[in-house]
Amino acid sequence: MTDRALKVGIVGYGHLGDQFLVEKIQKEGPEAGLQDSLPKELILHDLSDFTQTSVIVEVCHPLIVKEFGVRFLSHAHFLVGSPSALSDPKLEQDLRTAAKQYGKTLYVPSGALWGGQDIKKMNGSGTLRALSIRMSKHPSCFRLTGGLLSDWTEGEGRRVLYNGSVAELRPIAPNNVNTMAAAAIAASKLGFPEKSSQTLLSDYHIVEAEVTGPDGFTVKTVQQNPAKLGAVTGNATYNSFWSSLLGMCQCVYVCM
């Protein structure tokens, strides 16, 4: 976007936002053209007080995208780390309009989605016929509403929690649907995503995707993303976010 050092604002102070991205910016940012300092006066306790910056990276919750997304785009380029927020068509349109109005860019990183660029290319060329995706995690890795896993036990094995559209899944699992949301954005529409809990998955998350094209073309991937017990985000996703920040053209969704 520019040859000058970029000022980056991180919205979120959890494992991904604080312990990884901020540390990466401080250690490796200068070589990549990112401003590396983090003075205490730049740590905000009220998002309404944010100042001029080059890029704002959201890594906390889709509600922040809904409440502050348009305002962020009025001042900076915006990388949405909770793409499940974009399953709300009105919000997506508002963000697209704001990006064009203020001359900024809206980015969605691929996150844990493997092959997102290829899915996006097929979608753009009109050759994508179908896309299905299944994510399986240990029950402790889910943050669900409605008590869907309140009765789980270590010995129960596999349980299918959901099978349907991303838009309907988002309110149930706002922190666990971002990989599927990235796929839906890359493909414009997603077939039948499925989420399941598996008590044997104590060391990693599994993402299975199947892409269908014309004349019998099919690609199937099975990704094992190492993750600590109870972790919402798999280990490989951290470096994926960092790569997306360094090369934003690699995101699955770019709106200027």
Side-chain angles (χ1 to χ4, degrees), residues 24-225:
K24 276 283 193 179
I25 290 173
Q26 290 181 303
K27 289 184 177 180
E28 303 178 26
E31 296 180 5
L34 304 177
Q35 185 166 299
D36 65 332
S37 60
L38 190 67
K40 290 185 178 180
E41 61 268 20
L42 294 185
I43 299 177
L44 298 180
H45 298 284
D46 185 345
L47 274 180
S48 299
D49 297 330
F50 78 91
T51 56
Q52 188 69 35
T53 188
S54 305
V55 182
I56 294 176
V57 181
E58 175 274 320
V59 281
C60 50
H61 197 279
L63 288 177
I64 296 298
V65 181
K66 181 176 182 178
E67 184 175 353
F68 290 94
V70 170
R71 201 182 315 179
F72 288 160
L73 283 166
S74 69
H75 294 276
H77 303 291
F78 184 31
L79 191 149
V80 181
S82 300
S84 61
L86 302 183
S87 62
D88 178 345
K90 183 181 183 305
L91 176 59
E92 179 183 355
Q93 186 56 52
D94 288 346
L95 294 175
R96 289 171 62 91
T97 299
K100 293 178 180 179
Q101 177 181 351
Y102 297 107
K104 303 300 182 183
T105 307
L106 175 67
Y107 298 96
V108 174
S110 57
L113 176 64
W114 190 263
Q117 287 295 313
D118 295 303
I119 295 171
K120 181 181 178 182
K121 290 175 183 177
M122 289 184 65
N123 184 68
S125 65
T127 58
L128 184 65
R129 298 291 182 264
L131 171 64
S132 63
I133 186 166
R134 175 190 296 128
M135 178 173 285
S136 302
K137 299 181 179 182
H138 188 274
S140 65
C141 297
F142 286 107
R143 304 293 183 267
L144 306 176
T145 62
L148 284 179
L149 276 172
S150 59
D151 60 342
W152 74 273
T153 61
E154 282 290 352
E156 77 170 45
R158 182 173 182 269
R159 183 197 299 190
V160 176
L161 301 174
Y162 179 85
N163 196 317
S165 72
V166 174
E168 293 175 355
L169 176 60
R170 180 180 62 87
I172 300 172
N175 295 106
N176 297 110
V177 74
N178 290 322
T179 299
M180 292 179 170
I185 291 166
S188 294
K189 61 180 180 179
L190 184 63
F192 295 98
E194 178 180 295
K195 274 197 175 290
S196 64
S197 66
Q198 171 58 270
T199 54
L200 297 179
L201 299 179
S202 58
D203 299 316
Y204 48 82
H205 302 162
I206 294 180
V207 180
E208 302 169 75
E210 181 174 353
V211 178
T212 303
D215 303 319
F217 175 85
T218 303
V219 176
K220 298 179 181 179
T221 63
V222 179
Q223 174 190 345
Q224 290 190 178
N225 191 351

Side-chain angles (χ1 to χ4, degrees), residues 20-21 24-25 28 34 238-246:
F20 185 79
L21 285 180
K24 276 283 193 179
I25 290 173
E28 303 178 26
L34 304 177
Y238 290 79
N239 283 317
S240 177
F241 265 84
W242 176 241
S243 297
S244 292
L245 183 57
L246 294 182

